Amino acid sequence: MLGYYLRLAWLSLKRTPAITLLMIGAIALGIGATTTTLTVYHRMSTNPIAQRNDVLRAVTLDNWSADRPWDTDHPDNAPAELTYRDALAIAQGAPASRLVVMRKTSLTAEPGAGRPPFLVVVRLATHDFFPMFDVPFAYGAGWDGKADRDGEPVAVLSKETNGKLFGGENSVGKIVRLDGREYRVIGVLADWQPTPKFYDLNNGEYDTPEDLFLPFALGATLELQPAGNVNCWKPETLAGLRDLFGSECIWHQLWAELRTPAEVERFQSYIDGYVAEQKKLGRFPRRINNRLYTVDEWLARHEVVGRDSRVLLVVSFAFLAVCVLNVVGLLLSRFLGAAGATAIRRALGASRGEIFRQHLVEVGLVGALAGIGGLALGAVGLTALQQLYSSYDRLTQLDLSMTLAAIALAVLAGLLAGLYPAWRICRVQPAGYLKTQ
Amino acid sequence: MEIRPILSALLRNRTGALLVGLQVAITLAVIANAFFIIASRLEKIRRPTGIDTPNLIFAESEGYAPDYEHAATLSSDLALLKGIAGVVAVTSTNSVPLSGGGSANNYHATPDPKAAPIAGNYFEVNADFIDAYGLTLVAGRAFRAEEFTPVPANNDLPPVLILTETMAKTAFGAEPALGKRLYDENGKSGEVIGIVSDMQGSWLGNTRPGPQDLVFHPNGGFGKTWRYVIRVRPGERDRLLPQIEKALNGSGHGRAIIWVRPHEYWLTRTFRADRRMVVFLSTLVILMTAVTALGIIGLATFQVNARRKQIGTRRALGARRADIVRYFQLENGLLGAGGVVIGALLAYAASGWLTNAFQMPPLPPLYVLASALALLALGQLAVLWPARRAGAIDPAVATRTV
Amino acid sequence: MLDMQHIIKVYRTDLVETHALRDFSVTVAEGEFVAVTGPSGSGKTTFLNIAGLLETPDGGRYQLDGDDVGTLGDDARAGIRNQRIGFIFQGFNLIPDLDVFDNVDVPLRYRGFVTRDRRARIERSLELVGLAARMRHLPSQLSGGQQQRVAIARAIAGDPRFLLADEPTGNLDSLMARQIMDLLAEINRQGTTIVLVTHDPELARRAHRNIHVMDGQVTDLKPYAARGAAPDAAVA
Ligand SMILES: Nc1ncnc2c1ncn2[C@@H]1O[C@H](COP(=O)(O)OP(=O)(O)OP(=O)(O)O)[C@@H](O)[C@H]1O
Ligand SMILES: [Mg+2]
């Protein structure tokens, strides 16, 4: 019977090609717009390390001012970053499977051979950074705990930096000059673009990861300037970087890998105990409010998805709704316009179900064609958006899951648009229509 | 023409009418709010920067060599830049206006650190900054050359400060700011010696500090990273930019010139999201109105087809073409009016959501009114074609059709 | 056998109630050819619609082959229409988008016959009405009489036991009307029970029996001298 229904649907669509194109076009436009915004939205909000979501925890301690919360809009949130001394103390004493303390700096790389020096953004991190965040290596590997303790001058390069400095070849063992000092390359990353950059959302959440990675200890021994945010609340006289290390200013990120609920609990009670100790020393003027966040929770807390994308998402769904209403109207008029033929079928013995299915096949055909058109339009929309996003082009690539979502959306929209008209038409009473003829 | 029979005909085709009415309503709700968002973004993009943006070049220098000398490099760079023909004025600075990155401080109008803090966006500049940015001195005096400290010993407030007009009002209200002192959280203070015209600070759309709440400190920074503002003669920017880059790069000092860029580079970057929103929303608005117009055409076409015999009979009984056309126009007008009323309610509901979720200002009625009128006009335009086709129906169909 | 007893049908609109059938009783025996006559608006089409299970009665009892069918559900009624009843409508009621072959095919599709069986039936019934050569014509490419013959072919293709025809000759000239009547008589001879609504007394006379409807009731029974089966119709 499906073949028969398909033939009837085709005949019916062929009869009024303009209206058919209009219907397909309307749904396709709606789907195209929705797919485009959905892709950007999905890219923005997607968890780039979902596979480790449950074991990774961002660590926050509330060491902000007694007078006002860190975030007046969300007074329960502790600051997103830590002071140097707290980050270091917890990194050394806390019970965790793995733990990374880190911050950002920038240095000048000298490629030599007459080429001009250029700026590299550097992540100073302890060695667990690489295994904790599943960082892929093209050559070599990260450093170990000994390099962290001794502050060895070793470096891991991003793929791009390795390209700029060494033409992309295996540079493990080579020397890179940064701010007049020499570092030995021990690893080169493969392509790694976690979007958003979940491990440090304080600035540039859609930026690419840093250009170069150095052992955390070097930041203190070489007195490397901070390149990320530095936030301070306490009246303190700061004469240079030395004072910043001892200050209450926050500028470090801390992540722990906790594999079991018991581990999470142990870690939580450790940091709570730590803060309680510090309170005795006159620090941490606020109530104890130390929180651990999974990556999902962390992204949500930082409201990574921009307001604009959310507005656009709503607008494109409204657009889709208008398109669906439009198509419902057109289908209804078309089905009811051919009610005479349906009445004859009913009189000749077609059951309601058969009429319903016949029209649903027609709707499905429209939906399928619209879905294909919608995907094409979505691809066009994303290409156009690429111009508007430029540096964030990773946000605008149609991926498999979005393609599937678009198809699902097309089918859903088609069904939504078609169910009511199909239902209406299968209620047609044969007698009424035949008599009027 | 009578409205009652049209209404009852509409009621008979309730679903079709409802669908088109709803389309009009949703479209109105979206486009009224979209127009409002677009207008406010355009206003933001076009807002004057307060500085001589078209003729400003910024450069960043970062010292890396072990023997790098910040103070010496700074004064040598300033001299070098001033010496280039076509350069009007130069200042060093810590941040680029409207770049989204900068420094802020909590000031106090009294020495008491418990007093309500006054947030200020501070720019560390040297004595020539008023000329270099292209500001005007409104009251008091500019910094003197000897008041500039290339490398301050600590983060205490400098003894003299200059404020923008807006900052003067934020800090001291109606009282004259000149001669008053601003305190930092350590109780150190500086005297307000000058007021300059407003300019946009580091962050757009900030609330604390506000976008024009600026305080100028006559300092170089302690870091090795520093920036220059170079104002050139009108029209010379693109010619001078590579020349400036070359001169800085060739001057040694054990530092790298990280970038040399026109100020417009940051404007483009800062407003990219707003431009994107404008483009995206306009596209959706156009598509949506187009789809709605097509929906109106579609419904009217079906109505005309379904009533061919009736229309023919009317024509046979003496109705003129214009009467038939007017019938459909009136029908569409009624439909549109209904849709627009519901749409206005929806528009305010949507605006309420935007206000709640994103602290957007409420939707001014003018936008709803204008969008409603535009949609009604569009509806009339859309229905014209099927209505004219209805008018052209031959009176003979009345007798010929079975 | 088609048996209606005390059938009531009332149409309600906002303003008026029309008693289209009131206490309407009639029995049509197997193999009969019955003509239904009566003035316009008397309830003939209503009777035929109820007989053909297109509408449900508001009262009374309707049995088809001994089964009570007046109260069946929609799907069951569709099934009976499909298998036991052939309909020839007052208008021709062909589906304009489908060609002659496909129009005749419609009830067979819902009947679930296999392709070969359907094709054989369509060809046979079109042959019977003399249109085998026009299988791929669209209805709009046929004359009125040809269209009506297609409608007849469609009605008989599934070998229905009852053929209900509502003024099948209403739109045709008298010669064409006689040809259609010849065709119906031939179909009846092959065993199909026929109920024919007509205004034309000439045509009505060719039936075995004549039922006259007036104001929603059977008023008169005028058996014509029959050529075939002996009528044993009952009147309420
Ligand atoms: N759907 C309906 N709603 C209201 N009244 C109806 C409806 N259908 C038929 N009627 C009324 O029922 C009565 C019988 O109608 P019916 O169609 O059975 O007449 P008929 O005998 O077939 O007439 P004709 O010879 O003109 O075709 C008429 O008075 C008609 O107005
Ligand atoms: Mg009739």
Side-chain angles (χ1 to χ4, degrees):
Chain A
M1 219 49 187
L2 185 68
Y4 185 55
Y5 291 151
L6 273 173
R7 193 157 70 86
L8 292 181
W10 178 245
L11 271 178
S12 155
L13 294 178
K14 220 174 55 179
R15 191 157 46 92
T16 47
I19 304 266
T20 301
L21 279 180
L22 185 64
M23 285 195 298
I24 293 175
I27 299 197
L29 274 177
I31 287 169
T34 318
T35 322
T36 307
T37 45
L38 215 53
T39 303
V40 173
Y41 188 86
H42 171 76
R43 282 283 178 165
M44 279 186 164
S45 56
T46 197
N47 183 342
I49 187 148
Q51 73 277 15
R52 312 215 73 213
N53 183 62
D54 298 336
V55 296
L56 294 179
R57 293 288 188 286
V59 182
T60 65
L61 309 179
D62 199 345
N63 60 342
W64 205 241
S65 157
D67 302 333
R68 52 184 182 273
W70 157 251
D71 179 352
T72 37
D73 290 340
H74 303 97
D76 287 340
N77 280 358
E81 295 181 285
L82 285 79
T83 64
Y84 175 70
R85 54 167 136 166
D86 295 327
L88 208 62
I90 291 172
Q92 281 161 359
S97 295
R98 284 179 182 141
L99 206 140
V100 60
V101 51
M102 56 192 177
R103 67 177 175 98
K104 239 169 40 169
T105 186
S106 64
L107 295 170
T108 307
E110 300 159 71
R115 285 185 291 163
F118 62 90
L119 189 83
V120 286
V121 178
V122 176
R123 178 146 299 266
L124 294 161
T126 49
H127 65 282
D128 279 340
F129 179 85
F130 304 102
M132 270 176 78
F133 298 144
D134 272 358
V135 184
F137 278 84
Y139 308 114
W143 54 86
D144 54 15
K146 182 175 171 301
D148 268 337
R149 281 189 297 278
D150 301 350
E152 283 176 21
V154 291
V156 167
L157 310 184
S158 74
K159 186 179 176 202
E160 200 192 355
T161 308
N162 188 48
K164 276 204 229 168
L165 285 170
F166 301 108
E169 66 186 41
N170 185 347
S171 58
V172 171
K174 298 214 164 130
I175 297 297
V176 50
R177 277 183 73 84
L178 303 169
D179 273 26
R181 280 197 188 75
E182 296 193 337
Y183 299 80
R184 186 166 46 86
V185 177
I186 58 165
V188 174
L189 300 190
D191 188 31
W192 185 51
Q193 313 255 342
T195 317
K197 204 177 78 182
F198 64 96
Y199 57 81
D200 181 3
L201 295 168
N202 296 296
N203 31 39
E205 57 256 58
Y206 299 111
D207 284 356
T208 49
E210 292 70 19
D211 306 315
L212 199 139
F213 300 82
L214 296 178
F216 181 75
L218 291 172
T221 54
L222 303 179
E223 298 198 7
L224 302 179
Q225 291 282 347
N229 292 358
V230 178
N231 286 293
C232 311
W233 57 272
K234 194 177 175 186
E236 285 174 298
T237 298
L238 303 175
L241 191 60
R242 267 292 104 207
D243 288 352
L244 195 57
F245 282 104
S247 74
E248 293 291 352
C249 299
I250 54 170
W251 46 308
H252 290 79
Q253 301 91 44
L254 185 65
W255 285 78
E257 179 172 329
L258 307 169
R259 293 180 188 156
T260 60
E263 242 182 286
V264 173
E265 206 165 301
R266 202 143 15 103
F267 191 89
Q268 179 79 49
S269 67
Y270 175 85
I271 55 175
D272 288 349
Y274 171 81
V275 171
E277 281 302 309
Q278 294 293 313
K279 270 175 165 305
K280 288 185 197 148
L281 303 174
R283 298 183 61 225
F284 287 84
R286 299 178 69 75
R287 70 181 168 82
I288 293 184
N289 177 28
N290 308 319
R291 297 197 181 193
L292 303 176
Y293 297 85
T294 64
V295 181
D296 277 337
E297 291 163 351
W298 194 237
L299 294 175
R301 175 188 144 139
H302 283 262
E303 295 178 338
V304 177
V305 179
R307 297 164 173 192
D308 284 2
S309 342
R310 282 200 274 165
V311 170
L312 285 177
L313 193 68
V314 172
V315 169
S316 40
F317 270 107
F319 179 43
L320 186 62
V322 166
C323 295
V324 166
L325 286 177
N326 192 330
V327 173
V328 174
L330 293 177
L331 282 176
L332 195 63
S333 311
R334 142 177 284 168
F335 288 174
L336 291 180
T342 301
I344 297 170
R345 286 180 184 281
R346 291 276 287 134
L348 295 175
S351 71
R352 273 191 191 145
E354 279 161 329
I355 297 293
F356 186 71
R357 283 192 290 278
Q358 175 199 331
H359 288 89
L360 223 50
V361 166
E362 183 169 339
V363 168
L365 197 61
V366 169
L369 291 173
I372 296 168
L375 269 185
L377 285 176
V380 170
L382 286 173
T383 316
L385 263 196
Q386 216 124 32
Q387 318 283 304
L388 298 172
Y389 279 86
S390 65
S391 69
Y392 307 147
D393 62 351
R394 283 182 46 76
L395 289 177
T396 57
Q397 285 161 16
L398 202 62
D399 59 17
L400 183 70
S401 63
M402 283 325 293
T403 311
L404 292 178
I407 292 169
L409 203 64
V411 170
L412 198 73
L415 277 182
L416 263 179
L419 272 181
Y420 176 70
W423 179 81
R424 266 286 290 271
I425 193 67
C426 82
R427 319 288 304 174
V428 157
Q429 286 302 328
Y433 274 88
L434 296 173
K435 227 189 287 191
T436 56
Q437 285 237 335
Chain B
M1 185 171 291
E2 265 218 85
I3 289 183
R4 226 168 45 84
I6 300 183
L7 261 181
S8 64
L10 271 180
L11 280 179
R12 235 170 297 124
N13 183 11
R14 239 180 319 232
T15 324
L18 198 73
L19 289 171
V20 169
L22 262 181
Q23 278 181 60
V24 172
I26 296 179
T27 306
L28 175 64
V30 170
I31 68 172
N33 282 290
F35 281 147
F36 182 46
I37 294 176
I38 291 172
S40 56
R41 295 302 168 93
L42 285 179
E43 189 274 330
K44 187 171 151 195
I45 293 171
R46 294 188 183 138
R47 196 181 297 163
T49 57
I51 56 179
D52 191 16
T53 293
N55 302 311
L56 291 187
I57 295 170
F58 286 75
E60 182 173 279
S61 153
E62 174 155 310
Y64 64 86
D67 57 350
Y68 171 73
E69 277 284 346
H70 190 56
T73 310
L74 204 66
S75 61
S76 138
D77 279 348
L78 287 171
L80 172 84
L81 291 167
K82 275 180 207 162
I84 297 174
V87 171
V88 176
V90 183
T91 182
S92 59
T93 190
N94 57 332
S95 90
V96 181
L98 291 173
S99 65
S103 312
N105 217 348
N106 275 329
Y107 299 88
H108 299 270
T110 65
D112 176 14
K114 290 261 179 247
I118 305 155
N121 175 197
Y122 69 88
F123 276 68
E124 299 179 291
V125 292
N126 61 19
D128 295 333
F129 86 94
I130 298 180
D131 261 359
Y133 273 121
L135 301 170
T136 49
L137 186 64
V138 176
R141 63 171 178 85
F143 293 131
R144 300 197 182 97
E146 66 270 19
E147 283 167 342
F148 175 70
T149 317
V151 184
N154 53 44
N155 65 342
D156 288 348
L157 273 190
V160 286
L161 302 171
I162 290 178
L163 313 183
T164 55
E165 288 182 277
T166 301
M167 184 61 186
K169 276 196 211 84
T170 307
F172 302 107
E175 292 175 45
L178 217 56
K180 293 247 166 47
R181 304 190 76 82
L182 278 181
Y183 298 82
D184 67 13
E185 309 225 308
N186 305 325
K188 301 281 172 13
S189 69
E191 184 192 344
V192 178
I193 56 151
I195 310 285
V196 293
S197 56
D198 277 331
M199 64 179 265
Q200 304 288 347
S202 306
W203 308 280
L204 201 88
N206 229 31
T207 44
R208 274 174 45 84
Q212 315 212 71
D213 284 336
L214 269 60
V215 180
F216 296 93
H217 297 185
N219 280 341
F222 0 76
K224 295 171 172 179
T225 307
W226 212 238
R227 290 155 192 162
Y228 299 106
V229 186
I230 306 144
R231 185 171 173 212
V232 299
R233 278 203 298 264
E236 304 245 45
R237 187 190 71 191
D238 296 341
R239 183 180 70 80
L240 286 174
L241 198 140
Q243 196 181 330
I244 289 167
E245 186 160 16
K246 206 161 148 228
L248 284 173
N249 266 321
S251 66
H253 299 297
R255 57 87 190 274
I257 298 301
I258 307 301
W259 42 252
V260 181
R261 292 167 181 156
H263 188 230
E264 262 148 22
Y265 168 87
W266 282 275
L267 293 192
T268 313
R269 233 180 48 155
T270 301
F271 295 123
R272 189 184 290 142
D274 299 301
R275 289 232 165 76
R276 191 160 61 214
M277 194 69 170
V278 167
V279 172
F280 213 143
L281 276 181
S282 323
T283 314
L284 282 177
V285 162
I286 291 170
L287 291 178
M288 203 157 168
T289 19
V291 166
T292 304
L294 290 177
I296 291 171
I297 295 177
L299 181 83
T301 307
F302 274 113
Q303 302 274 45
V304 171
N305 286 345
R307 295 186 210 154
R308 278 184 78 77
K309 187 165 178 192
Q310 192 199 113
I311 294 165
T313 311
R314 271 173 199 272
R315 294 272 285 129
L317 296 177
R320 287 165 305 159
R321 256 164 209 247
D323 295 327
I324 303 289
V325 172
R326 227 182 16 252
Y327 177 92
F328 281 95
Q329 280 179 326
L330 213 61
E331 184 182 74
N332 176 268
L334 283 175
L335 241 179
V340 155
V341 169
I342 301 171
L345 296 178
L346 278 182
Y348 279 107
S351 161
W353 170 70
L354 289 170
T355 312
N356 259 333
F358 306 127
Q359 289 81 46
M360 291 231 324
L363 181 65
L366 186 68
Y367 284 90
V368 182
L369 199 70
S371 312
L373 288 178
L375 272 183
L376 286 175
L378 181 84
Q380 288 297 307
L381 216 64
V383 85
L384 207 58
W385 179 66
R388 297 264 283 268
R389 270 194 24 185
I393 286 176
D394 195 336
V397 298
T399 52
R400 269 202 320 235
T401 321
V402 190
Chain C
M1 190 174 79
L2 185 157
D3 179 31
M4 281 189 188
Q5 295 300 328
H6 315 295
I7 292 292
I8 296 170
K9 181 71 186 176
V10 185
Y11 291 112
R12 290 188 181 84
T13 59
D14 296 342
L15 298 174
V16 287
E17 273 190 3
T18 310
H19 292 261
L21 296 180
R22 49 181 107 196
D23 200 19
F24 187 97
S25 301
V26 70
T27 305
V28 179
E30 201 71 39
E32 251 195 310
F33 188 160
V34 177
V36 181
T37 55
S40 177
S42 56
K44 304 184 295 294
T45 299
T46 307
F47 155 62
L48 216 57
N49 280 346
I50 290 175
L53 299 176
L54 291 176
E55 287 181 274
T56 45
D58 295 319
R61 196 178 51 116
Y62 174 26
Q63 287 186 321
L64 199 63
D65 295 333
D67 305 325
D68 228 320
V69 292
T71 53
L72 285 176
D74 190 85
D75 280 358
R77 284 192 289 137
I80 293 178
R81 282 203 296 271
N82 191 227
Q83 286 163 29
R84 291 195 227 165
I85 297 171
F87 241 112
I88 303 167
F89 303 99
Q90 192 158 6
F92 309 131
N93 278 335
L94 297 179
I95 297 177
D97 295 341
L98 302 181
D99 62 26
V100 167
F101 183 93
D102 285 337
N103 257 294
V104 179
D105 191 24
V106 169
L108 306 181
R109 286 280 184 173
Y110 297 117
R111 190 87 169 260
F113 287 130
V114 297
T115 314
R116 211 152 37 99
D117 201 1
R118 287 201 330 264
R119 171 164 286 277
R121 281 167 178 275
I122 295 165
E123 279 166 1
R124 199 193 50 199
S125 55
L126 281 175
E127 211 140 321
L128 192 68
V129 300
L131 285 173
R134 305 209 177 243
M135 261 188 306
R136 290 301 166 194
H137 281 59
L138 286 173
S140 57
Q141 295 163 334
L142 299 177
S143 75
Q146 287 169 331
Q147 288 187 41
Q148 191 59 296
R149 281 188 279 156
V150 174
I152 293 171
R154 185 173 67 184
I156 60 170
D159 287 330
R161 302 246 317 290
F162 300 91
L163 189 60
L164 309 179
D166 195 354
E167 300 196 38
T169 58
N171 297 310
L172 305 176
D173 66 46
S174 57
L175 179 67
M176 194 68 85
R178 266 204 301 282
Q179 282 178 9
I180 297 288
M181 278 310 286
D182 292 344
L183 194 53
L184 290 180
E186 172 59 27
I187 291 164
N188 175 247
R189 254 198 302 284
Q190 292 176 11
T192 307
T193 311
I194 295 183
V195 178
L196 167 77
V197 170
T198 182
H199 278 294
D200 188 342
E202 186 92 15
L203 298 178
R205 256 198 297 280
R206 295 186 57 178
H208 302 160
R209 179 154 71 93
N210 204 338
I211 298 172
H212 193 73
V213 182
M214 188 84 109
D215 258 348
Q217 275 181 315
V218 178
T219 55
D220 195 7
L221 178 73
K222 299 181 200 158
Y224 290 88
R227 284 175 303 222
D232 65 55
V235 186

